[in-house]
Amino acid sequence: MSKVIIIGAGGVGTVVAHKCAQNHDVFSEIVIASRTRSKCDAVAAAINQPWVTTDSVDADSVDRLVELFERHRPDMVINVALPYQDLTIMEACLKCGVNYLDTANYEPKDVAHFEYSWQWAYRERFEKAGLTAILGCGFDPGVSGVFTAYAAKHWFSEMQTLDIVDCNAGNHGKAFATNFNPEINIREITQNGRYYQDGEWVVTEPLEHHRTLNYPNIGPRESYLLYHEELESLVQNYPTLKRARFWMTFGQEYLTHLRVIQDIGMARIDEIDYNGQKIVPLQFLKAVLPNPQDLGKNYHGETSIGCRIAGLGKDGNPLTYYIYNNCSHEAAYNETGMQAVSYTTGVPAMIGAMMFLTGKWTTPGVHNVEEFDPDPFMAQLPLQGLPWHEVVNADLEL
Ligand code: NDP
């Protein structure tokens, strides 16, 4: 018996709420709280159970969060608002004795820069308070870390190279739209690329390196090297890794739009003066772009996200290993009303919370997902809608 508060009622929050409600034996009470209460009410109405209720909160304010937590006294908060709110929510958790889980690491609003240091700085305080914080528990970060931990536990004596490959082969029929919050998405893609090689971080120009990779059931797709946050913790937790990279597919049409958006200054995140009013161009752009939550209805095709790992197997011989999930946009929409990008993020967030609430991932402190036992999480993935597959000793293409 446990009570959770889900903060955020966007694409991901909607999926988390549906999946928690499907697992009522673990999540006996669910509160959906966000800035705009009407969005929480709509999600709760779709679920239509008396133990799913709503509230509103400005998660930028520790005081408002403390009031929310005192009103509801949850065991855990699932933070699927924006990365800007991570630290205020963690502070409020410490004040009220609430455990914490999120899917994206902290980013300050005024610099497009993300790293774990801000959240790792809370390790000692969470540990002393006997509270658990689970960081980055979506798909990537999230399942990508659990897949890596599973490979290390069951397949490798030494992992040498890791490539996380993320393909969205879906088509939503719009000329340009982002699959999750446009502001966060565009900030992520337009920054420099970065990968880990022989103990150093190598910086690239944005989208400088790309390759054609083949994805199961999809075929060849152009894949671009990006920096992604899970690389930071994975190279620390698996020090035998000589190289770690992250690749994501983009279509030509998407990249052309992105280039124009940048060239005309609409990706800027600094304030400008417009007719006496301060606006941030990227936030204004978000207001006119299609809402990612509305893409689901006509979305066809699949996502395919996985880890391609090379090294030495348990027997000491060279081994290659590819573990992945494919997720259909249509199936995700039929189940939750959201497309596969929100679905593949929301399902693992629910499973991570389930791991804590059922006593499997409870070590106090602030932890990335790969620090926990991957087996119970891996067992839940197919049961909750995300089956995974393994390919051994095939060409990794990388
Ligand atoms: P949305 O923009 O669709 O939803 C964000 C929600 O957070 C909205 O309900 C919004 O409220 C709410 N919110 C924003 N600011 C505040 C605030 N100050 N106080 C309270 N609520 C607030 O985003 P997504 O659902 O697409 O993404 C959610 C999170 O998931 C993001 O952090 C994103 O980075 C992460 N993510 C992680 C992935 C992974 O694989 N790990 C993949 C995809 C996303 P309002 O409606 O009022 O704006």
Side-chain angles (χ1 to χ4, degrees), residues 8-9 32-42 55-58:
I32 311 166
S34 187
R35 189 166 49 187
T36 313
R37 188 166 187 169
S38 56
K39 289 194 190 170
C40 307
D41 291 340
D55 207 327
S56 64
V57 68
D58 174 5

Side-chain angles (χ1 to χ4, degrees), residues 259-332:
R259 185 160 51 80
V260 173
I261 285 169
Q262 280 184 285
D263 287 350
I264 61 174
M266 285 306 294
R268 281 173 59 174
I269 59 170
D270 52 324
E271 275 187 349
I272 59 152
D273 191 75
Y274 178 72
N275 283 347
Q277 199 184 336
K278 300 264 183 243
I279 62 164
V280 174
L282 185 54
Q283 286 173 3
F284 176 77
L285 177 70
K286 179 188 173 218
V288 295
L289 282 176
N291 183 345
Q293 278 167 264
D294 301 334
L295 297 175
K297 197 160 187 201
N298 298 309
Y299 220 137
H300 306 291
E302 293 185 351
T303 60
S304 179
I305 315 176
C307 296
R308 299 185 185 188
I309 305 171
L312 303 176
K314 293 284 183 206
D315 59 3
N317 290 322
L319 175 74
T320 70
Y321 179 76
Y322 178 21
I323 179 166
Y324 66 91
N325 159 263
N326 274 31
C327 182
S328 144
H329 287 289
E330 286 98 328

Side-chain angles (χ1 to χ4, degrees), residues 50-89:
W51 31 269
V52 179
T53 57
T54 66
D55 207 327
S56 64
V57 68
D58 174 5
D60 287 324
S61 158
V62 176
D63 291 344
R64 297 292 88 74
L65 286 158
V66 166
E67 285 165 20
L68 177 81
F69 293 170
E70 282 178 350
R71 262 199 305 286
H72 297 284
R73 307 233 152 252
D75 299 293
M76 178 167 233
V77 57
I78 302 177
N79 167 18
V80 281
L82 298 179
Y84 315 134
Q85 281 86 46
D86 289 2
L87 301 188
T88 43
I89 298 177

